Amino acid sequence: MGAGRKTQTFMLGDRTPSSFSTTNSSATARNLRKENLGGVVFGCKNNTMKECLSKQIFGLPSIHFSYVRNIEQGLPLFLFNYNDRKLHGIFEAAGPGQMNINPYGWTEDGSDRTPYPAQVRIRVRMHCQPILEDQFSQIIMDNYYSQYHFWFELDHAQTSSLIKSFSSSPVNATAIQLHVPKVKTLFKALPNDDTRKEVDHRPSVTVEDLDWSDQPSKDVGYLGGSQPLGAYPGTETMDEEEAKVYLKLQQIALDRKKSNCPPGVFPAAVSGPSMNDDVQMEVGSASIGPSVSAEKNVEISVDSSYLESIISQLTQGMEELKNFSAEQLKKNSELEKKLVESEIHIQQLNDRVKKLELKFGPSSGSFDEQSEGSSDSRPINEAVDVVCSDADESILIVGGYNGVSWLAELDSYSPSQDVMRSLKPMSSVRSYASAATLNGHLYIFGGGNGSFWYDTVERYDPIINEWTSCPPLIERKGSLAGATLDNKIFAIGGGNGVECFWEVEMLDPALGRWVPIRSMLQKRFAPAAAELHGVLYAVGGYDGKDYLKTAERFDPREVSWTRLPSMNERRGCHSLAILDDKLYALGGYDGTEMVSSVEIFDPRMDSWMTGDPMHQPRGYSAAAVIGKSLYVIGGVHHGENILNTVERYTVGNGWEVTNLKGIGKRCFFSAVVLR
């Protein structure tokens, strides 16, 4: 039902081989810009809808946060029930879209992390009848990418049409209905001076026995109006029945004040026209409205001071509950943070123990056994030996393209031996990605598979030769740069097949998610980045119009990017390496051809100088430093000519083309030295 959205191809200018381009095709989002986002549909089922409405929070899986974060207060929202295929509305955002507003929502007992962390607080804009899919599907036809699935992002035209459709079937508000059962008791009126000596034999009704109808009403909370029950001040921490009682009593007191009734007398308007002609409410000797008609006539006696006392008690209790809830929330937040820190510390201690066992011998034979669930046929200690025995002499080669297929392989390459050893591959093929190391682990993030871009992140543990999934990036992107600074990983720039990014995301292990930080001064697709002396550097790239000479750096102490002197040549899809406390920008694409030029930035001089050129022009290669040697591996020479050569540079000796052939043809890959 409906046609899928057309994909667009993003290439490095108009001169990059199309066989290496990556298209953008997402089954989770339209990727509308913030200014083009007119509304958002959230999903639910019968068993989650009640919580959505009662707690006034809508949520989606984290993969949808790319557009949920664009939600601002007042944006129209709708709720789609997968069970009956009905769309409910009209709601609106009561605040911005965020991650984990309620970290434990929609779980069985509130102890597990929510499966729907991309969340927004909501309120009701207008109560309307739900719309069947046959009706609203015609309005959002362009959003359907399969017969039963559609994108949740709505443009302004679609949102306006949906609002018009909903507005044609509003829910009519009706007055409050009070139904008095046969034998009930209401809190008895305190006798006044005239009747103090009389005995009241009339049956009375308790508050619990009243039938507080859930029918709509224009006066009270969930019984009508434009707000859910919990939206009224003071009702957030009460359960639904307590809140209904509280609001009804509040409404009675309010109506009495509006009508200037004397103490003990309640206005007949409370009952409204829906009360039966036989209803009569008496307070002392004062009568209110008609008399109640039921199977047995019942007169209701109420004392206003008693009602006001109950309201006062409820208000006081509500404040105490609110204060208690705030304290518990603060304590839970502190405990959660400590738990995350403890888990990280435990993992670090485990890694240290395993490394000591490798050095002095394993205990209990645990490392003589194969990793549980691992598809690698080699013992763990053999895989660890590959990476850890001479870690400073090995380069980890991740993913890429070999001229025939896109790769998921992870390999450890030793230049001194010209030997490539296979380790456990990633969960999927990945190219145009970026890699960084943190706490002895390798992180690979972003990139694509030759058809669409990823937001996925994987972490490799060399101790056990295993990959694990990590929190995803905020945006799907490829040809981005990555670096590690202050025990955090930074994903810098890149693109999604349609636009170039200047945004920067940071993975903080203590938070367990990626967060946006200060954006760069320029958009940069296919830049290069590195960390030197506690500062991040981003160099070159493509801004959607031109290849760049510019460079900038991020100082976490100032939390800002600063422009640096520009390079002498434009370059993108190049490499950046650190050697002798200097930045080396290596090769790349200048908008016309691949280049072999090298430029060196000395932070102490704050200037670029021309270095010795490589022997071969190359871009989409990878660079790594081992000891005093800088290696540049593979890459694209020109057109679709993929290189299998390795060049080595040492200060004072310049570049040499080595005879190393262990890696073979490779481009669009990542390479790091795991230290």
Side-chain angles (χ1 to χ4, degrees):
M1 181 185 296
R5 177 164 52 94
K6 294 181 179 179
T7 60
Q8 298 183 11
T9 301
F10 185 89
M11 297 183 292
L12 294 177
D14 294 329
R15 294 167 290 275
T16 301
S18 61
S19 61
F20 300 139
S21 65
T22 299
T23 59
N24 175 43
S25 174
S26 168
T28 60
R30 289 178 64 183
N31 295 316
L32 293 177
R33 293 176 180 270
K34 192 171 186 177
E35 60 269 20
N36 297 330
L37 186 66
V40 173
V41 178
F42 282 77
C44 71
K45 292 186 178 180
N46 290 338
N47 61 334
T48 59
M49 185 172 179
K50 181 178 180 180
E51 183 170 348
C52 289
L53 298 177
S54 63
K55 294 190 177 179
Q56 303 169 74
I57 294 181
F58 290 173
L60 288 171
S62 58
I63 196 171
H64 295 271
F65 187 63
S66 62
Y67 60 85
V68 170
R69 71 190 182 114
N70 291 333
I71 295 176
E72 294 181 336
Q73 183 172 341
L75 189 77
L77 305 175
F78 306 92
L79 189 62
F80 177 67
N81 189 324
Y82 281 97
N83 291 119
D84 58 18
R85 310 295 292 184
K86 290 181 180 179
L87 190 66
H88 297 258
I90 306 167
F91 307 94
E92 65 179 34
Q98 300 176 19
M99 287 292 285
N100 290 308
I101 296 174
N102 180 358
Y104 306 100
W106 304 283
T107 57
E108 185 174 352
D109 56 3
S111 62
D112 297 326
R113 300 290 294 188
T114 179
Y116 312 111
Q119 299 172 359
V120 62
R121 296 191 182 276
I122 65 99
R123 55 176 170 249
V124 178
R125 176 181 291 188
M126 178 185 295
H127 279 298
C128 300
Q129 296 290 348
I131 300 177
L132 295 173
E133 187 169 18
D134 289 344
Q135 296 171 282
F136 73 77
S137 63
Q138 302 303 315
I139 297 174
I140 64 168
M141 180 67 71
D142 290 340
N143 279 35
Y144 277 83
Y145 58 88
S146 73
Q147 185 175 1
Y148 299 107
H149 296 86
F150 56 88
W151 288 300
F152 283 170
E153 296 166 275
L154 305 173
D155 55 39
H156 291 287
Q158 292 172 327
T159 303
S160 178
S161 297
L162 278 178
I163 290 176
K164 288 180 181 178
S165 181
F166 271 105
S167 300
S168 64
S169 58
V171 175
N172 294 323
T174 61
I176 301 174
Q177 303 282 340
L178 294 181
H179 303 286
V180 184
K182 293 181 180 179
V183 182
K184 306 285 183 176
T185 57
L186 182 69
F187 33 85
K188 297 181 180 180
L190 296 176
N192 55 30
D193 293 336
D194 298 331
T195 60
R196 193 177 302 275
K197 296 180 180 180
E198 298 179 2
V199 179
D200 189 356
H201 298 286
R202 293 173 296 179
S204 54
V205 185
T206 64
V207 173
E208 292 83 347
D209 293 328
L210 285 177
D211 181 8
W212 301 112
S213 173
D214 284 339
Q215 297 301 316
S217 167
K218 62 183 179 182
D219 295 316
V220 182
Y222 228 124
L223 307 182
S226 61
Q227 299 280 353
L229 185 61
Y232 287 83
T235 62
E236 298 91 340
T237 58
M238 306 170 83
D239 65 43
E240 190 169 330
E241 291 303 318
E242 290 175 332
K244 288 177 182 178
V245 172
Y246 170 76
L247 290 174
K248 285 182 178 291
L249 295 175
Q250 286 275 36
Q251 187 63 42
I252 292 172
L254 180 62
D255 288 344
R256 183 179 64 78
K257 290 181 180 179
K258 287 181 179 178
S259 60
N260 296 318
C261 291
V265 178
F266 288 80
V270 172
S271 63
S274 65
M275 293 188 71
N276 193 286
D277 292 339
D278 294 330
V279 172
Q280 181 171 3
M281 298 178 68
E282 293 188 1
V283 181
S285 60
S287 64
I288 307 169
S291 60
V292 175
S293 175
E295 293 186 16
K296 291 185 179 180
N297 290 337
V298 178
E299 293 177 330
I300 303 177
S301 297
V302 182
D303 184 87
S304 63
S305 62
Y306 189 42
L307 286 178
E308 290 174 353
S309 173
I310 290 179
I311 291 173
S312 177
Q313 292 175 21
L314 286 172
T315 303
Q316 182 179 355
M318 173 197 67
E319 291 297 328
E320 293 175 355
L321 285 172
K322 285 174 63 177
N323 293 336
F324 177 76
S325 178
E327 292 176 2
Q328 289 298 111
L329 185 62
K330 182 178 179 181
K331 290 180 180 179
N332 289 342
S333 177
E334 293 174 352
L335 288 173
E336 183 177 350
K337 184 177 180 180
K338 289 180 180 179
L339 178 61
V340 172
E341 293 174 351
S342 299
E343 290 175 348
I344 294 173
H345 186 58
I346 290 171
Q347 182 62 47
Q348 292 173 346
L349 290 175
N350 285 337
D351 291 347
R352 291 180 62 184
V353 169
K354 291 173 182 176
K355 289 178 181 178
L356 289 172
E357 287 179 340
L358 286 172
K359 184 175 181 179
F360 298 106
S363 61
S364 303
S366 59
F367 285 92
D368 292 329
E369 300 174 0
Q370 190 170 347
S371 174
E372 182 179 354
S374 172
S375 60
D376 195 340
S377 60
R378 294 169 301 157
I380 292 178
N381 57 339
E382 181 183 343
V384 172
D385 287 342
V386 171
V387 183
C388 298
S389 58
D390 294 306
D392 290 343
E393 296 183 4
S394 298
I395 303 171
L396 293 181
I397 308 295
V398 195
Y401 180 71
N402 62 7
V404 178
S405 59
W406 305 98
L407 306 173
E409 278 77 0
L410 169 66
D411 302 292
S412 175
Y413 177 67
S414 172
S416 62
Q417 303 175 23
D418 193 24
V419 173
M420 182 94 96
R421 296 181 175 89
S422 296
L423 303 175
K424 184 170 184 177
M426 296 177 287
S427 61
S428 61
V429 300
R430 192 185 295 264
S431 58
Y432 299 97
S434 190
T437 61
L438 179 62
N439 297 328
H441 295 88
L442 164 67
Y443 288 77
I444 187 85
F445 41 95
N449 65 357
S451 298
F452 58 89
W453 301 114
Y454 296 154
D455 61 0
T456 55
V457 181
E458 296 184 67
R459 181 184 69 189
Y460 176 73
D461 186 341
I463 301 297
I464 59 175
N465 191 33
E466 285 289 341
W467 288 93
T468 56
S469 296
C470 296
L473 296 166
I474 298 173
E475 297 274 1
R476 295 173 181 267
K477 62 186 73 174
S479 287
L480 68 165
T484 303
L485 173 65
D486 289 342
N487 289 320
K488 300 175 182 65
I489 294 177
F490 293 79
I492 302 167
N496 65 0
V498 178
E499 57 182 334
C500 305
F501 296 144
W502 49 28
E503 286 83 1
V504 180
E505 301 180 33
M506 179 184 74
L507 176 63
D508 186 343
L511 294 176
R513 60 188 175 92
W514 293 85
V515 295
I517 64 166
R518 184 68 60 88
S519 296
M520 293 182 290
L521 303 176
Q522 281 186 286
K523 295 181 178 181
R524 298 182 187 273
F525 179 87
E531 179 272 335
L532 178 61
H533 300 319
V535 177
L536 283 183
Y537 290 83
V539 178
Y542 178 71
D543 66 358
K545 296 179 180 178
D546 298 303
Y547 286 84
L548 305 173
K549 298 180 181 180
T550 59
E552 51 190 296
R553 66 183 165 203
F554 176 79
D555 190 332
R557 294 162 295 187
E558 300 174 359
V559 197
S560 62
W561 289 89
T562 304
R563 197 176 299 278
L564 299 176
S566 295
M567 297 181 289
N568 298 309
E569 293 188 43
R570 304 176 187 273
R571 64 183 80 228
C573 62
H574 53 298
S575 301
L576 193 65
I578 306 295
L579 181 63
D580 286 346
D581 293 332
K582 298 179 181 67
L583 295 169
Y584 283 70
L586 309 161
Y589 185 71
D590 66 0
T592 303
E593 60 183 357
M594 298 292 181
V595 298
S596 61
S597 61
V598 175
E599 297 188 56
I600 305 170
F601 182 77
D602 189 340
R604 293 165 294 188
M605 304 297 293
D606 199 34
S607 63
W608 292 91
M609 66 185 77
T610 302
D612 296 334
M614 296 181 292
H615 289 273
Q616 292 179 298
R618 65 180 79 210
Y620 289 118
S621 56
V625 174
I626 296 179
K628 295 294 183 179
S629 298
L630 167 59
Y631 294 87
V632 176
I633 304 164
V636 177
H637 181 256
H638 62 79
E640 299 183 13
N641 182 10
I642 300 175
L643 297 171
N644 65 351
T645 58
V646 177
E647 295 192 46
R648 178 173 56 220
Y649 174 84
T650 53
V651 177
N653 297 321
W655 291 94
E656 64 170 324
V657 179
T658 69
N659 293 321
L660 303 176
K661 301 295 182 181
I663 293 180
K665 290 185 176 182
R666 201 108 163 208
C667 62
F668 312 137
F669 65 102
S670 303
V672 298
V673 175
L674 192 61
R675 302 185 189 281

